Amino acid sequence: MAYGYYAVMNDLNFEIHSGEIFLIIGGSGCGKSTLLKHLVGIIPVMNGTIFYGDTDVNCILESENVARKFGILYQSSALWGDLTVGENVALPLEYHTQLSQREIKDLVSFKLSLVGLSGCEDRYPFELSGGMKKRAGLARAMVLDPEFLFFDEPSAGLDPLTSKRLDDLILEIRDCFGTTIVIVTHELASIFAVGDRAIYLDANTKTALDMGAPEWLLHHGNRQVRQFLSRGENNG
């Protein structure tokens, strides 16, 4: 992973299992969001290959099925301010399907109901709270039933109770649909609440220091990772 001649991360080698919630964690500026952008092909890797099964990510990007493969929830939710919530969620369906307007409307209503936003189709983003914007962004990300969902700091800017509701929703989506979910986060509560496994990126060594289940990392992982997960209280 690099920007020009500046290396962000080296020697990353890991697998994400089907149907798991995989976390990318680490301190500020270590390259968490950059790694996520590499995984979905927004930024090409300087060296190496990213595979989905036996398929190179670049082959997926060149196909017509990329929108059905990946769903992305950005940190800011990235909703179009001049479109209603329903219109925001409908966009992927209008661009990537041949569904009728009635079918699109029904699907939008269904996806919004899944994230607890029934009846919000005609509201605009500025009328929503931070947590509601996140859920609207999530509805749009999953409207095409992608195999993989990618979240960039989904709990950023949310109060603890709203963050917990979002964590519960993420778990429900994985359990109900078997979606593979990759999350960039530094929120400790979310790390332990939803993560099956996590990879820890370190800005100083420019590589991954450890990987495993959050509880295992807390008690048996690399010393720096243990301190990160215990807010520095674990000095052993």
Side-chain angles (χ1 to χ4, degrees):
M1 293 165 46
Y3 290 108
Y5 292 103
Y6 176 75
V8 179
M9 282 282 142
N10 295 302
D11 302 321
L12 294 184
N13 185 14
F14 62 93
E15 293 181 352
I16 298 173
H17 302 151
S18 178
E20 78 171 338
I21 299 177
F22 186 87
L23 308 180
I24 302 171
I25 64 175
S28 299
C30 66
K32 300 186 295 297
S33 295
T34 300
L35 176 55
L36 185 143
K37 291 174 183 176
H38 282 306
L39 292 179
V40 298
I42 294 175
I43 302 175
V45 295
M46 175 165 279
N47 188 28
T49 310
I50 297 169
F51 285 104
Y52 286 83
D54 296 325
T55 306
D56 188 314
V57 67
N58 294 312
C59 294
I60 295 174
L61 295 175
E62 293 169 0
S63 74
E64 297 180 355
N65 296 321
V66 61
R68 293 185 178 275
K69 195 80 170 178
F70 304 147
I72 306 172
L73 174 61
Y74 298 97
Q75 184 173 339
S76 63
S77 300
L79 299 174
W80 293 95
D82 58 344
L83 299 180
T84 65
V85 170
E87 290 169 340
N88 268 281
V89 177
L91 278 176
L93 296 170
E94 293 173 348
Y95 276 97
H96 299 289
T97 75
Q98 300 297 318
L99 296 176
S100 68
Q101 286 302 307
R102 167 51 61 183
E103 290 171 321
I104 289 176
K105 184 177 180 180
D106 290 344
L107 262 177
V108 168
S109 295
F110 174 63
K111 295 300 182 180
L112 286 173
S113 70
L114 288 178
V115 300
L117 291 179
S118 293
C120 292
E121 289 88 341
D122 295 328
R123 298 176 69 175
Y124 285 87
F126 72 85
E127 299 178 290
L128 304 180
S129 67
M132 293 171 75
K133 288 179 182 177
K134 296 280 187 179
R135 285 184 279 149
L138 177 54
R140 184 179 59 187
M142 58 187 287
V143 73
L144 289 172
D145 297 322
E147 293 181 52
F148 302 90
L149 282 174
F150 297 87
F151 299 160
D152 188 4
E153 300 283 7
S155 298
L158 302 182
D159 64 80
L161 286 179
T162 304
S163 295
K164 183 184 184 304
R165 294 190 190 102
L166 185 59
D167 289 341
D168 292 342
L169 180 57
I170 290 171
L171 287 169
E172 184 178 345
I173 291 169
R174 191 277 304 274
D175 294 342
C176 290
F177 301 103
T179 310
T180 303
I181 299 175
V182 180
I183 305 175
V184 169
T185 185
H186 64 272
E187 300 286 345
L188 291 183
S190 294
I191 289 172
F192 291 105
V194 305
D196 293 312
R197 291 188 304 138
I199 186 170
Y200 182 92
L201 306 184
D202 177 52
N204 293 323
T205 59
K206 297 185 183 299
T207 193
L209 290 186
D210 215 336
M211 183 170 64
E215 285 290 345
W216 184 89
L217 291 173
L218 175 63
H219 298 290
H220 307 288
N222 174 281
R223 182 172 183 269
Q224 182 175 323
V225 180
R226 296 200 310 271
Q227 291 182 329
F228 176 86
L229 292 174
S230 63
R231 300 181 186 271
E233 296 175 4
N234 189 337
N235 296 309

